[in-house]
Amino acid sequence: MRDIDTRIEAARDRLASAEKALAKAESRSRANTPGGLENYDSAILSGIRRKPNPKADARRFNAYAAEAQLSQVVVDERSTLERLERQKASEEADAASRSRLDLSEIRPGHAVRDKYGWHRVVKVNAKSVAVETGYSWTDRIAKDQIIEARALTDAP
């Protein structure tokens, strides 16, 4: 299995455990809310009591804080999983375009794309191409790092 696949599976496992912990925290916060969260009396939910109970208040506020913290963990894990899935799709698309690429047709003046963007080819070697940089030197890109190549047409 590839590294990205193992990372995706690990992210899915972390998300599932975070969602399970969030469900427990939600039930704890409901249990610690006087009057409940549905069909409640606003005077009861406000926390006003005839006799102060700091332990019960602390327990209730800690339950709310734990729920809020776990909901943020779930949001973070979902975004991590989405990012990894986008990265996998991008890598697969790049690999598919590399497999269709015919490197023997690259000539000076063509454009090649690597992971950093498009570059104009200056010189073609057996294992790499030299590309313009905008400065007085050229950069070398290995042929296995080229994702896409196109012939440039100069518009009049």
Side-chain angles (χ1 to χ4, degrees), residues 102-135:
D102 186 15
L103 298 174
S104 64
E105 296 180 1
I106 298 176
R107 303 278 180 256
H110 286 189
V112 294
R113 181 171 70 99
D114 65 353
K115 64 182 179 180
Y116 300 111
W118 286 95
H119 310 279
R120 183 185 294 268
V121 176
V122 176
K123 184 178 176 184
V124 179
N125 297 320
K127 295 182 181 178
S128 65
V129 294
V131 295
E132 292 179 354
T133 61
Y135 299 103

Side-chain angles (χ1 to χ4, degrees), residues 11-61:
R12 284 188 179 136
D13 293 342
R14 285 192 313 269
L15 177 61
S17 66
E19 286 174 339
K20 198 179 294 184
L22 178 62
K24 281 183 181 179
E26 286 174 345
S27 67
R28 260 188 244 116
S29 68
R30 277 196 188 99
N32 285 317
T33 302
L37 291 174
E38 294 88 20
N39 301 323
Y40 61 88
D41 181 7
S42 60
I44 294 173
L45 187 63
S46 68
I48 298 172
R49 301 171 193 227
R50 292 176 190 247
K51 184 176 177 186
N53 190 344
K55 284 184 180 179
D57 289 341
R59 191 170 45 246
R60 185 175 90 185
F61 295 138

